[in-house]
Amino acid sequence: VQLQASGGGLVQAGGSLIISCAASARTSSTNSRGWFRQAPGKEREFVAAIRWNSGLTLYADSVKGRFTTSRDTTKNTVSLQMNSLKPEDTAVYYCAAGSRWPISHHSDMNYWGKGTLVTVSS
């Protein structure tokens, strides 16, 4: 399974950005889709996740109320809408897929896409 992320870029604090992730296939091993991020010098951390069949979502406390993840079942894609962005949201964002639920750690995931950089200027 290959994952391809798109979007990202530079935005001012308080702004919004959306990133998307397309999967080459959907199997039982990709029923959970997650978003993670990694800032320089920091460990990769969980951001958000969505369960493909039910649409259930999970969010890290640091993004709850600001970020929303959703899925498009016709295109086999997931998106992460990021609002009220803060400089501390600056990181490389990764999409991932796996079979476990709930998700809270990068070790829960089986497949990874290449990251996309999100930079929030103050």
Side-chain angles (χ1 to χ4, degrees):
V1 176
Q2 293 183 333
L3 303 174
Q4 180 67 48
S6 60
L10 174 65
V11 64
Q12 288 188 330
S16 298
L17 209 57
I18 185 167
I19 51 179
S20 298
C21 180
S24 62
R26 192 173 77 80
T27 71
S28 59
S29 64
T30 62
N31 277 337
S32 297
R33 306 288 178 89
W35 293 97
F36 293 76
R37 67 186 181 187
Q38 189 166 18
K42 294 189 176 181
E43 186 178 354
R44 190 170 298 187
E45 64 173 1
F46 169 75
V47 175
I50 187 165
R51 191 65 170 167
W52 190 263
N53 292 336
S54 64
L56 284 173
T57 56
L58 293 170
Y59 297 95
D61 288 343
S62 58
V63 306
K64 202 171 292 183
R66 300 188 297 121
F67 290 12
T68 302
T69 189
S70 59
R71 75 208 191 288
D72 184 331
T73 58
T74 63
K75 297 180 181 179
N76 200 14
T77 61
V78 293
S79 297
L80 184 67
Q81 175 71 48
M82 303 179 286
N83 299 327
S84 302
L85 282 161
K86 305 174 182 179
E88 52 263 43
D89 294 318
T90 295
V92 176
Y93 284 70
Y94 297 89
C95 62
S99 57
R100 294 184 180 179
W101 188 265
I103 296 170
S104 62
H105 193 264
H106 56 76
S107 62
D108 293 327
M109 314 309 291
N110 298 326
Y111 305 100
W112 290 90
K114 292 182 180 180
T116 184
L117 178 63
V118 172
T119 303
V120 184
S121 62
S122 57

